[in-house]
Amino acid sequence: MDEFDIVAGAITSRRSVRGFLPDPVSVELISKILATASYAPSGSNIQPWNVHVVMGPKRDELSRLLLDAHRQKLPEAREYEYYPVQWRSPYIERRRATGWGLYETLGIQKGDRQASAAQHGRNYAFFGAPVVLVFAIDKDLRQGSWLDYGMFLQNIMVSARGCGLHTCPQAAIANYPGIVKRLLGIGDDQTVICAISMGYEDSSCPANQFRPPRIDLDEFVVFHS
């Protein structure tokens, strides 16, 4: 296997796993992954990432607080807009295909709000993952630093695959930034971006059988010569 195949294998085997085993992940392994990911490029090398590694009782407390907010239907207070304010084609069709594809895999019927809410709530249980990485960025940094952050996040997920782990990036945690900030001591001068749940895949979990499709190359690439 050549170097490209090794890298490509880590990238193409990365997916959002929604069912993890409780097996612990060592601090040493997490540190190795984060140190590797920190080689992501950033404009003028400012390295805008702030990472909170949440495990053990603190992870359980964070999950409990977020689940309580979700079940009580507390107002969400996201500090930034992740999705378009107005959906349009082709993005709305791709979103629906992914959402209903997952729900069909899980046997959740359209209109079953109770089951849908329960599945959404699993975000706040971190799908059973023993490790949760929470990411924040200084509020005065601009779009370029958010681009840098995306490359850092991808490095984490690909590095995790190289170590036999799986991940699930989760924007849902940003719905309740106040809870996250209070528990983890994150200042109001920072924005909670997202989380990544990390651990070993539970291959028996039905949700992990779903594979969202990828669009063909000719749908997003134009070659110029």
Side-chain angles (χ1 to χ4, degrees), residues 4-183:
F4 176 80
D5 290 334
I6 293 171
V7 175
I11 293 172
T12 57
S13 66
R14 185 222 63 81
R15 63 186 192 280
S16 295
V17 163
R18 294 179 175 86
F20 291 87
L21 297 171
D23 302 11
V25 180
S26 70
V27 171
E28 291 75 18
L29 184 53
I30 298 168
S31 298
K32 175 182 177 181
I33 290 169
L34 292 174
T36 301
S38 72
Y39 280 82
S42 60
S44 299
N45 197 37
I46 67 172
Q47 304 170 74
W49 24 85
N50 297 285
V51 187
H52 297 259
V53 181
V54 190
M55 307 165 67
K58 188 67 74 173
R59 174 246 182 244
D60 295 343
E61 184 178 3
L62 179 60
S63 176
R64 178 182 60 79
L65 292 171
L66 291 171
L67 276 170
D68 284 348
H70 170 69
R71 289 166 178 161
Q72 295 173 32
K73 300 181 179 179
L74 297 183
E76 297 178 354
R78 183 181 292 275
E79 298 175 291
Y80 70 99
E81 291 293 338
Y82 188 97
Y83 290 112
V85 176
Q86 175 116 21
W87 284 94
R88 62 177 176 83
S89 184
Y91 308 112
I92 185 62
E93 290 86 0
R94 294 174 189 168
R95 184 190 195 205
R96 287 170 176 164
T98 296
W100 288 117
L102 175 62
Y103 279 18
E104 183 178 1
T105 301
L106 296 173
I108 299 175
Q109 302 298 314
K110 289 185 179 182
D112 189 342
R113 294 185 178 180
Q114 184 174 359
S116 296
Q119 176 60 28
H120 182 68
R122 296 198 67 234
N123 280 282
Y124 303 118
F126 308 116
F127 303 108
V131 179
V132 182
L133 308 177
V134 176
F135 303 94
I137 188 170
D138 290 2
K139 284 186 175 179
D140 60 344
L141 296 180
R142 309 305 294 171
Q143 287 93 333
S145 294
W146 286 68
L147 291 173
D148 298 338
Y149 223 121
M151 291 182 275
F152 173 64
L153 296 174
Q154 176 75 355
N155 269 7
I156 291 173
M157 292 182 281
V158 172
S159 297
R161 287 301 302 124
C163 297
L165 298 169
H166 271 286
T167 55
C168 185
Q170 297 175 251
I173 195 172
N175 290 335
Y176 303 107
I179 292 173
V180 178
K181 288 181 175 182
R182 284 192 295 273
L183 187 65

